[in-house]
Amino acid sequence: MFRVRDDFRRAQVAIAALFCFLGLQYATWASRLPAIKSRLDLGEAEVGLLLMACGAGAAASFPLVAILTRRLGSRLLALLSALALGVLLLALAVAPNYPVALLIICLDGVAVGCLNVAMNAQGAALEVRYQRTAMAKLHATFSGGSLCAALLASGMNAITSTLAAHFAVAAVLLALLIGYARPGLLTEDEAAPKAAPEPAADEPAPAGRRRLSMPSRITVWMGCAMAFGTVTEGAMNDWSALYMKDVAHASAEVAPLGIAVVSVMMVLARVFADGWRTRWGDGRIVRAGSVLAGAGLAVALLAGGVVPALLGFACVGLGVAAVTPCVYVAAARAGSDALALVAAMGTTGLLAGPALIGFIASGSSLVWGMGAVAVSALLVSVCATRIHWTSVTDTDTSTATATATDADPNAAEPAPAAAPADRTPLTDAPA
């Protein structure tokens, strides 16, 4: 495999390999659900429970992820969880019965939760170390990994229907990605603020200090923003084609274009979103994007028809593309516990969102269900106004100020650094 000379690019490509890994691993077994269903003789309810087990494992992994991130660091945790995911994929191919497959998928969800937090911590640390935005492009490579998995599944199906052969080929590709990523991963988690030193043995601990503490209000707002954002993403993936067919009365050939439009717009937006973040700041991007998504979808639902629906879906893909990358960066800077909680809430939103839309649709209509998706997107903007967004260019300055203040409490506060003449200041103050 090729090697990159530039330090930033080398680390960026290595971390991107982790994102690609997760997209490839998840989409590989998800694309073969019909074969898994046939092999284990499962019913529809059992397949649904299998899918829920993966998400439940990821959501339940929050306490474990927080502990492992602190003890192992994001680099080692990413490598170990990636190795576990490769082994679990092979184990799923030879699972003898449904209970074993259910256990494997649940463990897969736990490993997914670990890798998800670790790779996003690596991405946030990359931005801090090199003072450059990169997270949106990293998330775009996750979609690229999913696309590669779909193409691989199609090609392997043309050659053989054996799950073991397909998953073995995928495992080889996953191993290559791990091998390529390992040398370039960052060895320090620089995104989170440094922990205060432990008090001496004969010194009483500070009164307000506890080993276990409730998350801060800003962390809760970040978690809510992530949850509403993933509700929007998940619901569009699961319900857009059905809306096109049953409500917009699109033909069988046009109906799948709904999810295609959302996916293409999200990938394109994530490719360019890092430049937008550098120019306007994360907070403005999240607020404006979520308003665009919610308002665009609402107008499309009111107008009705195929063309308005496709335009509205395009607004959703464009608007929510940068939400999860930006919130992950903000959460990583708040510490490993905050990142793990926000990731767990995102997984919960991804799981609960499509089901919630289904309940609303069954009680009224799919139009009202999709209207709830528009409301969810708008709620992201509301949550974003309560988050303190800090740009990568402000991290070093704030860290240096905090260090100087700790070293000499009587020292004069340093003057704020002037923003470069050719750049717009990126820090958004909380509302």
Side-chain angles (χ1 to χ4, degrees):
M1 291 187 180
F2 70 93
R3 293 291 175 186
V4 185
R5 293 181 180 275
D6 178 71
D7 289 342
F8 170 77
R9 293 300 180 192
R10 181 167 59 249
Q12 184 184 35
V13 173
I15 299 169
L18 293 179
F19 280 82
C20 182
F21 178 102
L22 188 56
L24 178 63
Q25 195 273 351
Y26 176 79
T28 292
W29 69 261
S31 66
R32 296 306 300 271
L33 274 177
I36 295 172
K37 177 185 177 183
S38 176
R39 179 176 175 274
L40 299 177
D41 194 21
L42 306 181
E44 299 296 337
E46 291 171 314
V47 172
L49 184 59
L50 200 67
L51 289 170
M52 186 169 291
C54 181
S61 66
F62 158 60
L64 177 65
V65 173
I67 294 172
L68 292 178
T69 303
R70 287 195 300 269
R71 292 187 177 180
L72 302 178
S74 62
R75 181 179 185 273
L76 183 55
L77 179 59
L79 293 174
L80 291 177
S81 55
L83 287 173
L85 285 169
V87 172
L88 289 169
L89 184 64
L90 293 174
L92 182 61
V94 296
N97 51 51
Y98 178 64
V100 173
L102 201 61
L103 176 61
I104 292 172
I105 290 297
C106 185
L107 293 175
D108 187 274
V110 174
V112 165
C114 292
L115 180 56
N116 184 38
V117 171
M119 68 187 190
N120 278 286
Q122 282 277 309
L126 175 71
E127 292 196 344
V128 171
R129 176 176 292 189
Y130 294 100
Q131 297 295 285
R132 297 169 67 177
T133 53
M135 188 68 89
K137 288 187 178 70
L138 295 177
H139 278 257
T141 60
F142 174 87
S143 301
S146 300
L147 176 60
C148 290
L151 295 176
L152 176 63
S154 178
M156 290 301 298
N157 268 322
I159 299 172
T160 177
S161 60
T162 306
L163 276 178
H166 177 192
F167 287 4
V169 172
V172 171
L173 295 177
L174 294 174
L176 291 174
L177 285 171
I178 296 175
Y180 181 76
R182 186 185 64 81
L185 296 179
L186 303 178
T187 56
E188 295 180 13
D189 296 333
E190 303 179 25
K194 300 297 182 183
E198 294 290 337
D202 56 347
E203 252 183 335
R209 190 169 173 182
R210 298 179 179 89
R211 287 187 178 274
L212 296 176
S213 60
M214 295 296 292
S216 67
R217 283 181 295 175
I218 291 181
T219 299
V220 173
W221 282 115
M222 288 189 289
C224 291
M226 180 67 78
F228 289 126
T230 54
V231 164
T232 305
E233 287 188 39
M236 292 305 298
N237 288 332
D238 289 353
W239 290 101
S240 58
L242 194 60
Y243 176 87
M244 291 288 291
K245 179 179 179 295
D246 294 347
V247 179
H249 305 296
S251 64
E253 294 79 13
V254 176
L257 292 180
I259 188 172
V261 166
V262 175
S263 300
V264 169
M265 290 303 295
M266 286 191 70
V267 172
L268 289 177
R270 283 175 172 172
V271 168
F272 295 102
D274 286 323
W276 303 339
R277 293 173 58 211
T278 300
R279 183 170 183 178
W280 293 300
D282 290 8
R284 292 184 181 93
I285 294 298
V286 172
R287 290 193 296 267
S290 54
V291 168
L292 172 64
L297 181 58
V299 170
L301 295 175
L302 291 173
V306 173
V307 174
L310 291 176
L311 292 174
F313 294 171
C315 289
V316 174
L318 177 62
V320 302
V323 169
T324 50
C326 291
V327 177
Y328 271 127
V329 169
R333 290 174 184 164
S336 59
D337 288 355
L339 177 58
L341 177 60
V342 168
M345 291 184 70
T347 303
T348 302
L350 196 63
L351 280 175
L356 178 62
I357 302 309
F359 287 133
I360 296 174
S362 63
S364 52
S365 70
L366 188 52
V367 175
W368 283 103
M370 296 298 283
V373 178
V375 172
S376 179
L378 292 173
L379 287 175
V380 173
S381 182
V382 175
C383 296
T385 63
R386 311 303 302 173
I387 300 172
H388 183 74
W389 302 95
T390 305
S391 71
V392 295
T393 57
D394 297 323
T395 306
D396 282 350
T397 303
S398 61
T399 302
T401 302
T403 303
T405 304
D406 291 340
D408 184 2
N410 299 319
E413 184 175 346
D422 59 341
R423 268 179 104 161
T424 303
L426 301 182
T427 301
D428 297 332

mmCIF file with all atom_site columns, all heavy atoms in Angstrom, residues 341-365:
data_model
loop_
_atom_site.group_PDB
_atom_site.id
_atom_site.type_symbol
_atom_site.label_atom_id
_atom_site.label_alt_id
_atom_site.label_comp_id
_atom_site.label_asym_id
_atom_site.label_entity_id
_atom_site.label_seq_id
_atom_site.pdbx_PDB_ins_code
_atom_site.Cartn_x
_atom_site.Cartn_y
_atom_site.Cartn_z
_atom_site.occupancy
_atom_site.B_iso_or_equiv
_atom_site.pdbx_formal_charge
_atom_site.auth_seq_id
_atom_site.auth_comp_id
_atom_site.auth_asym_id
_atom_site.auth_atom_id
_atom_site.pdbx_PDB_model_num
ATOM 1   N N   . LEU A 1 341 ? -20.801 9.005  25.965 1.00 0.00 ? 341 LEU A N   1
ATOM 2   C CA  . LEU A 1 341 ? -22.227 9.236  26.186 1.00 0.00 ? 341 LEU A CA  1
ATOM 3   C C   . LEU A 1 341 ? -22.902 9.759  24.924 1.00 0.00 ? 341 LEU A C   1
ATOM 4   O O   . LEU A 1 341 ? -24.002 9.305  24.558 1.00 0.00 ? 341 LEU A O   1
ATOM 5   C CB  . LEU A 1 341 ? -22.421 10.229 27.333 1.00 0.00 ? 341 LEU A CB  1
ATOM 6   C CG  . LEU A 1 341 ? -23.870 10.626 27.629 1.00 0.00 ? 341 LEU A CG  1
ATOM 7   C CD1 . LEU A 1 341 ? -24.694 9.406  28.009 1.00 0.00 ? 341 LEU A CD1 1
ATOM 8   C CD2 . LEU A 1 341 ? -23.933 11.678 28.725 1.00 0.00 ? 341 LEU A CD2 1
ATOM 9   N N   . VAL A 1 342 ? -22.264 10.703 24.240 1.00 0.00 ? 342 VAL A N   1
ATOM 10  C CA  . VAL A 1 342 ? -22.837 11.263 23.020 1.00 0.00 ? 342 VAL A CA  1
ATOM 11  C C   . VAL A 1 342 ? -22.959 10.187 21.941 1.00 0.00 ? 342 VAL A C   1
ATOM 12  O O   . VAL A 1 342 ? -23.970 10.103 21.230 1.00 0.00 ? 342 VAL A O   1
ATOM 13  C CB  . VAL A 1 342 ? -21.985 12.453 22.536 1.00 0.00 ? 342 VAL A CB  1
ATOM 14  C CG1 . VAL A 1 342 ? -22.384 12.870 21.123 1.00 0.00 ? 342 VAL A CG1 1
ATOM 15  C CG2 . VAL A 1 342 ? -22.133 13.629 23.487 1.00 0.00 ? 342 VAL A CG2 1
ATOM 16  N N   . ALA A 1 343 ? -21.936 9.332  21.826 1.00 0.00 ? 343 ALA A N   1
ATOM 17  C CA  . ALA A 1 343 ? -22.006 8.240  20.848 1.00 0.00 ? 343 ALA A CA  1
ATOM 18  C C   . ALA A 1 343 ? -23.139 7.277  21.172 1.00 0.00 ? 343 ALA A C   1
ATOM 19  O O   . ALA A 1 343 ? -23.851 6.806  20.282 1.00 0.00 ? 343 ALA A O   1
ATOM 20  C CB  . ALA A 1 343 ? -20.671 7.494  20.814 1.00 0.00 ? 343 ALA A CB  1
ATOM 21  N N   . ALA A 1 344 ? -23.334 6.981  22.466 1.00 0.00 ? 344 ALA A N   1
ATOM 22  C CA  . ALA A 1 344 ? -24.421 6.079  22.866 1.00 0.00 ? 344 ALA A CA  1
ATOM 23  C C   . ALA A 1 344 ? -25.779 6.688  22.555 1.00 0.00 ? 344 ALA A C   1
ATOM 24  O O   . ALA A 1 344 ? -26.697 5.996  22.093 1.00 0.00 ? 344 ALA A O   1
ATOM 25  C CB  . ALA A 1 344 ? -24.309 5.759  24.355 1.00 0.00 ? 344 ALA A CB  1
ATOM 26  N N   . MET A 1 345 ? -25.933 7.993  22.794 1.00 0.00 ? 345 MET A N   1
ATOM 27  C CA  . MET A 1 345 ? -27.203 8.646  22.488 1.00 0.00 ? 345 MET A CA  1
ATOM 28  C C   . MET A 1 345 ? -27.452 8.701  20.988 1.00 0.00 ? 345 MET A C   1
ATOM 29  O O   . MET A 1 345 ? -28.589 8.587  20.522 1.00 0.00 ? 345 MET A O   1
ATOM 30  C CB  . MET A 1 345 ? -27.223 10.059 23.076 1.00 0.00 ? 345 MET A CB  1
ATOM 31  C CG  . MET A 1 345 ? -27.276 10.072 24.589 1.00 0.00 ? 345 MET A CG  1
ATOM 32  S SD  . MET A 1 345 ? -27.417 11.739 25.303 1.00 0.00 ? 345 MET A SD  1
ATOM 33  C CE  . MET A 1 345 ? -29.084 12.190 24.818 1.00 0.00 ? 345 MET A CE  1
ATOM 34  N N   . GLY A 1 346 ? -26.361 8.838  20.213 1.00 0.00 ? 346 GLY A N   1
ATOM 35  C CA  . GLY A 1 346 ? -26.510 8.790  18.764 1.00 0.00 ? 346 GLY A CA  1
ATOM 36  C C   . GLY A 1 346 ? -26.990 7.426  18.295 1.00 0.00 ? 346 GLY A C   1
ATOM 37  O O   . GLY A 1 346 ? -27.864 7.320  17.420 1.00 0.00 ? 346 GLY A O   1
ATOM 38  N N   . THR A 1 347 ? -26.441 6.371  18.881 1.00 0.00 ? 347 THR A N   1
ATOM 39  C CA  . THR A 1 347 ? -26.876 5.024  18.532 1.00 0.00 ? 347 THR A CA  1
ATOM 40  C C   . THR A 1 347 ? -28.331 4.807  18.916 1.00 0.00 ? 347 THR A C   1
ATOM 41  O O   . THR A 1 347 ? -29.104 4.190  18.176 1.00 0.00 ? 347 THR A O   1
ATOM 42  C CB  . THR A 1 347 ? -25.991 3.977  19.243 1.00 0.00 ? 347 THR A CB  1
ATOM 43  O OG1 . THR A 1 347 ? -24.633 4.198  18.879 1.00 0.00 ? 347 THR A OG1 1
ATOM 44  C CG2 . THR A 1 347 ? -26.394 2.570  18.861 1.00 0.00 ? 347 THR A CG2 1
ATOM 45  N N   . THR A 1 348 ? -28.721 5.330  20.081 1.00 0.00 ? 348 THR A N   1
ATOM 46  C CA  . THR A 1 348 ? -30.112 5.211  20.514 1.00 0.00 ? 348 THR A CA  1
ATOM 47  C C   . THR A 1 348 ? -31.043 5.906  19.530 1.00 0.00 ? 348 THR A C   1
ATOM 48  O O   . THR A 1 348 ? -32.110 5.377  19.183 1.00 0.00 ? 348 THR A O   1
ATOM 49  C CB  . THR A 1 348 ? -30.282 5.816  21.919 1.00 0.00 ? 348 THR A CB  1
ATOM 50  O OG1 . THR A 1 348 ? -29.402 5.142  22.826 1.00 0.00 ? 348 THR A OG1 1
ATOM 51  C CG2 . THR A 1 348 ? -31.710 5.673  22.395 1.00 0.00 ? 348 THR A CG2 1
ATOM 52  N N   . GLY A 1 349 ? -30.659 7.096  19.072 1.00 0.00 ? 349 GLY A N   1
ATOM 53  C CA  . GLY A 1 349 ? -31.476 7.799  18.091 1.00 0.00 ? 349 GLY A CA  1
ATOM 54  C C   . GLY A 1 349 ? -31.577 7.049  16.786 1.00 0.00 ? 349 GLY A C   1
ATOM 55  O O   . GLY A 1 349 ? -32.644 6.989  16.163 1.00 0.00 ? 349 GLY A O   1
ATOM 56  N N   . LEU A 1 350 ? -30.466 6.444  16.382 1.00 0.00 ? 350 LEU A N   1
ATOM 57  C CA  . LEU A 1 350 ? -30.461 5.684  15.135 1.00 0.00 ? 350 LEU A CA  1
ATOM 58  C C   . LEU A 1 350 ? -31.381 4.473  15.231 1.00 0.00 ? 350 LEU A C   1
ATOM 59  O O   . LEU A 1 350 ? -32.023 4.077  14.257 1.00 0.00 ? 350 LEU A O   1
ATOM 60  C CB  . LEU A 1 350 ? -29.036 5.238  14.817 1.00 0.00 ? 350 LEU A CB  1
ATOM 61  C CG  . LEU A 1 350 ? -28.738 4.766  13.394 1.00 0.00 ? 350 LEU A CG  1
ATOM 62  C CD1 . LEU A 1 350 ? -28.957 5.891  12.402 1.00 0.00 ? 350 LEU A CD1 1
ATOM 63  C CD2 . LEU A 1 350 ? -27.313 4.251  13.295 1.00 0.00 ? 350 LEU A CD2 1
ATOM 64  N N   . LEU A 1 351 ? -31.446 3.868  16.435 1.00 0.00 ? 351 LEU A N   1
ATOM 65  C CA  . LEU A 1 351 ? -32.312 2.707  16.645 1.00 0.00 ? 351 LEU A CA  1
ATOM 66  C C   . LEU A 1 351 ? -33.779 3.107  16.802 1.00 0.00 ? 351 LEU A C   1
ATOM 67  O O   . LEU A 1 351 ? -34.661 2.515  16.179 1.00 0.00 ? 351 LEU A O   1
ATOM 68  C CB  . LEU A 1 351 ? -31.876 1.958  17.910 1.00 0.00 ? 351 LEU A CB  1
ATOM 69  C CG  . LEU A 1 351 ? -30.680 1.027  17.815 1.00 0.00 ? 351 LEU A CG  1
ATOM 70  C CD1 . LEU A 1 351 ? -30.353 0.489  19.191 1.00 0.00 ? 351 LEU A CD1 1
ATOM 71  C CD2 . LEU A 1 351 ? -30.969 -0.099 16.864 1.00 0.00 ? 351 LEU A CD2 1
ATOM 72  N N   . ALA A 1 352 ? -34.021 4.097  17.652 1.00 0.00 ? 352 ALA A N   1
ATOM 73  C CA  . ALA A 1 352 ? -35.392 4.428  18.012 1.00 0.00 ? 352 ALA A CA  1
ATOM 74  C C   . ALA A 1 352 ? -36.101 5.261  16.955 1.00 0.00 ? 352 ALA A C   1
ATOM 75  O O   . ALA A 1 352 ? -37.329 5.182  16.829 1.00 0.00 ? 352 ALA A O   1
ATOM 76  C CB  . ALA A 1 352 ? -35.400 5.184  19.343 1.00 0.00 ? 352 ALA A CB  1
ATOM 77  N N   . GLY A 1 353 ? -35.337 6.045  16.186 1.00 0.00 ? 353 GLY A N   1
ATOM 78  C CA  . GLY A 1 353 ? -35.949 6.955  15.224 1.00 0.00 ? 353 GLY A CA  1
ATOM 79  C C   . GLY A 1 353 ? -36.851 6.288  14.208 1.00 0.00 ? 353 GLY A C   1
ATOM 80  O O   . GLY A 1 353 ? -38.042 6.621  14.101 1.00 0.00 ? 353 GLY A O   1
ATOM 81  N N   . PRO A 1 354 ? -36.340 5.335  13.425 1.00 0.00 ? 354 PRO A N   1
ATOM 82  C CA  . PRO A 1 354 ? -37.198 4.695  12.420 1.00 0.00 ? 354 PRO A CA  1
ATOM 83  C C   . PRO A 1 354 ? -38.430 4.030  13.019 1.00 0.00 ? 354 PRO A C   1
ATOM 84  O O   . PRO A 1 354 ? -39.517 4.090  12.450 1.00 0.00 ? 354 PRO A O   1
ATOM 85  C CB  . PRO A 1 354 ? -36.259 3.662  11.781 1.00 0.00 ? 354 PRO A CB  1
ATOM 86  C CG  . PRO A 1 354 ? -34.891 4.221  11.986 1.00 0.00 ? 354 PRO A CG  1
ATOM 87  C CD  . PRO A 1 354 ? -34.940 4.892  13.323 1.00 0.00 ? 354 PRO A CD  1
ATOM 88  N N   . ALA A 1 355 ? -38.276 3.393  14.196 1.00 0.00 ? 355 ALA A N   1
ATOM 89  C CA  . ALA A 1 355 ? -39.430 2.757  14.836 1.00 0.00 ? 355 ALA A CA  1
ATOM 90  C C   . ALA A 1 355 ? -40.453 3.811  15.255 1.00 0.00 ? 355 ALA A C   1
ATOM 91  O O   . ALA A 1 355 ? -41.670 3.611  15.099 1.00 0.00 ? 355 ALA A O   1
ATOM 92  C CB  . ALA A 1 355 ? -38.968 1.950  16.044 1.00 0.00 ? 355 ALA A CB  1
ATOM 93  N N   . LEU A 1 356 ? -39.981 4.939  15.791 1.00 0.00 ? 356 LEU A N   1
ATOM 94  C CA  . LEU A 1 356 ? -40.885 6.007  16.205 1.00 0.00 ? 356 LEU A CA  1
ATOM 95  C C   . LEU A 1 356 ? -41.667 6.556  15.012 1.00 0.00 ? 356 LEU A C   1
ATOM 96  O O   . LEU A 1 356 ? -42.878 6.803  15.109 1.00 0.00 ? 356 LEU A O   1
ATOM 97  C CB  . LEU A 1 356 ? -40.090 7.130  16.876 1.00 0.00 ? 356 LEU A CB  1
ATOM 98  C CG  . LEU A 1 356 ? -40.886 8.361  17.321 1.00 0.00 ? 356 LEU A CG  1
ATOM 99  C CD1 . LEU A 1 356 ? -41.912 7.979  18.372 1.00 0.00 ? 356 LEU A CD1 1
ATOM 100 C CD2 . LEU A 1 356 ? -39.941 9.434  17.866 1.00 0.00 ? 356 LEU A CD2 1
ATOM 101 N N   . ILE A 1 357 ? -40.986 6.742  13.901 1.00 0.00 ? 357 ILE A N   1
ATOM 102 C CA  . ILE A 1 357 ? -41.666 7.220  12.687 1.00 0.00 ? 357 ILE A CA  1
ATOM 103 C C   . ILE A 1 357 ? -42.726 6.211  12.264 1.00 0.00 ? 357 ILE A C   1
ATOM 104 O O   . ILE A 1 357 ? -43.816 6.578  11.822 1.00 0.00 ? 357 ILE A O   1
ATOM 105 C CB  . ILE A 1 357 ? -40.647 7.448  11.558 1.00 0.00 ? 357 ILE A CB  1
ATOM 106 C CG1 . ILE A 1 357 ? -39.578 8.445  11.999 1.00 0.00 ? 357 ILE A CG1 1
ATOM 107 C CG2 . ILE A 1 357 ? -41.344 7.944  10.297 1.00 0.00 ? 357 ILE A CG2 1
ATOM 108 C CD1 . ILE A 1 357 ? -40.098 9.723  12.576 1.00 0.00 ? 357 ILE A CD1 1
ATOM 109 N N   . GLY A 1 358 ? -42.418 4.919  12.397 1.00 0.00 ? 358 GLY A N   1
ATOM 110 C CA  . GLY A 1 358 ? -43.390 3.891  12.050 1.00 0.00 ? 358 GLY A CA  1
ATOM 111 C C   . GLY A 1 358 ? -44.630 3.960  12.924 1.00 0.00 ? 358 GLY A C   1
ATOM 112 O O   . GLY A 1 358 ? -45.766 3.809  12.430 1.00 0.00 ? 358 GLY A O   1
ATOM 113 N N   . PHE A 1 359 ? -44.456 4.207  14.219 1.00 0.00 ? 359 PHE A N   1
ATOM 114 C CA  . PHE A 1 359 ? -45.606 4.320  15.125 1.00 0.00 ? 359 PHE A CA  1
ATOM 115 C C   . PHE A 1 359 ? -46.472 5.524  14.751 1.00 0.00 ? 359 PHE A C   1
ATOM 116 O O   . PHE A 1 359 ? -47.706 5.447  14.752 1.00 0.00 ? 359 PHE A O   1
ATOM 117 C CB  . PHE A 1 359 ? -45.125 4.451  16.566 1.00 0.00 ? 359 PHE A CB  1
ATOM 118 C CG  . PHE A 1 359 ? -44.591 3.167  17.140 1.00 0.00 ? 359 PHE A CG  1
ATOM 119 C CD1 . PHE A 1 359 ? -43.386 3.163  17.820 1.00 0.00 ? 359 PHE A CD1 1
ATOM 120 C CD2 . PHE A 1 359 ? -45.273 1.969  16.983 1.00 0.00 ? 359 PHE A CD2 1
ATOM 121 C CE1 . PHE A 1 359 ? -42.875 1.979  18.348 1.00 0.00 ? 359 PHE A CE1 1
ATOM 122 C CE2 . PHE A 1 359 ? -44.770 0.787  17.501 1.00 0.00 ? 359 PHE A CE2 1
ATOM 123 C CZ  . PHE A 1 359 ? -43.574 0.788  18.185 1.00 0.00 ? 359 PHE A CZ  1
ATOM 124 N N   . ILE A 1 360 ? -45.815 6.637  14.451 1.00 0.00 ? 360 ILE A N   1
ATOM 125 C CA  . ILE A 1 360 ? -46.569 7.841  14.065 1.00 0.00 ? 360 ILE A CA  1
ATOM 126 C C   . ILE A 1 360 ? -47.322 7.594  12.763 1.00 0.00 ? 360 ILE A C   1
ATOM 127 O O   . ILE A 1 360 ? -48.498 7.967  12.626 1.00 0.00 ? 360 ILE A O   1
ATOM 128 C CB  . ILE A 1 360 ? -45.621 9.047  13.928 1.00 0.00 ? 360 ILE A CB  1
ATOM 129 C CG1 . ILE A 1 360 ? -44.995 9.387  15.285 1.00 0.00 ? 360 ILE A CG1 1
ATOM 130 C CG2 . ILE A 1 360 ? -46.367 10.259 13.362 1.00 0.00 ? 360 ILE A CG2 1
ATOM 131 C CD1 . ILE A 1 360 ? -43.939 10.477 15.219 1.00 0.00 ? 360 ILE A CD1 1
ATOM 132 N N   . ALA A 1 361 ? -46.653 6.965  11.802 1.00 0.00 ? 361 ALA A N   1
ATOM 133 C CA  . ALA A 1 361 ? -47.285 6.693  10.513 1.00 0.00 ? 361 ALA A CA  1
ATOM 134 C C   . ALA A 1 361 ? -48.472 5.747  10.656 1.00 0.00 ? 361 ALA A C   1
ATOM 135 O O   . ALA A 1 361 ? -49.508 5.922  9.993  1.00 0.00 ? 361 ALA A O   1
ATOM 136 C CB  . ALA A 1 361 ? -46.259 6.102  9.542  1.00 0.00 ? 361 ALA A CB  1
ATOM 137 N N   . SER A 1 362 ? -48.344 4.740  11.522 1.00 0.00 ? 362 SER A N   1
ATOM 138 C CA  . SER A 1 362 ? -49.452 3.793  11.692 1.00 0.00 ? 362 SER A CA  1
ATOM 139 C C   . SER A 1 362 ? -50.633 4.450  12.401 1.00 0.00 ? 362 SER A C   1
ATOM 140 O O   . SER A 1 362 ? -51.781 4.068  12.186 1.00 0.00 ? 362 SER A O   1
ATOM 141 C CB  . SER A 1 362 ? -48.977 2.571  12.491 1.00 0.00 ? 362 SER A CB  1
ATOM 142 O OG  . SER A 1 362 ? -48.580 2.951  13.802 1.00 0.00 ? 362 SER A OG  1
ATOM 143 N N   . GLY A 1 363 ? -50.369 5.441  13.247 1.00 0.00 ? 363 GLY A N   1
ATOM 144 C CA  . GLY A 1 363 ? -51.447 6.126  13.951 1.00 0.00 ? 363 GLY A CA  1
ATOM 145 C C   . GLY A 1 363 ? -52.108 7.209  13.134 1.00 0.00 ? 363 GLY A C   1
ATOM 146 O O   . GLY A 1 363 ? -53.250 7.585  13.416 1.00 0.00 ? 363 GLY A O   1
ATOM 147 N N   . SER A 1 364 ? -51.412 7.737  12.135 1.00 0.00 ? 364 SER A N   1
ATOM 148 C CA  . SER A 1 364 ? -51.993 8.805  11.305 1.00 0.00 ? 364 SER A CA  1
ATOM 149 C C   . SER A 1 364 ? -51.700 8.529  9.837  1.00 0.00 ? 364 SER A C   1
ATOM 150 O O   . SER A 1 364 ? -52.489 7.897  9.143  1.00 0.00 ? 364 SER A O   1
ATOM 151 C CB  . SER A 1 364 ? -51.447 10.168 11.733 1.00 0.00 ? 364 SER A CB  1
ATOM 152 O OG  . SER A 1 364 ? -50.020 10.148 11.764 1.00 0.00 ? 364 SER A OG  1
ATOM 153 N N   . SER A 1 365 ? -50.534 8.985  9.382  1.00 0.00 ? 365 SER A N   1
ATOM 154 C CA  . SER A 1 365 ? -50.112 8.724  8.002  1.00 0.00 ? 365 SER A CA  1
ATOM 155 C C   . SER A 1 365 ? -48.602 8.906  7.914  1.00 0.00 ? 365 SER A C   1
ATOM 156 O O   . SER A 1 365 ? -47.983 9.487  8.821  1.00 0.00 ? 365 SER A O   1
ATOM 157 C CB  . SER A 1 365 ? -50.809 9.663  7.017  1.00 0.00 ? 365 SER A CB  1
ATOM 158 O OG  . SER A 1 365 ? -50.338 10.988 7.163  1.00 0.00 ? 365 SER A OG  1
#
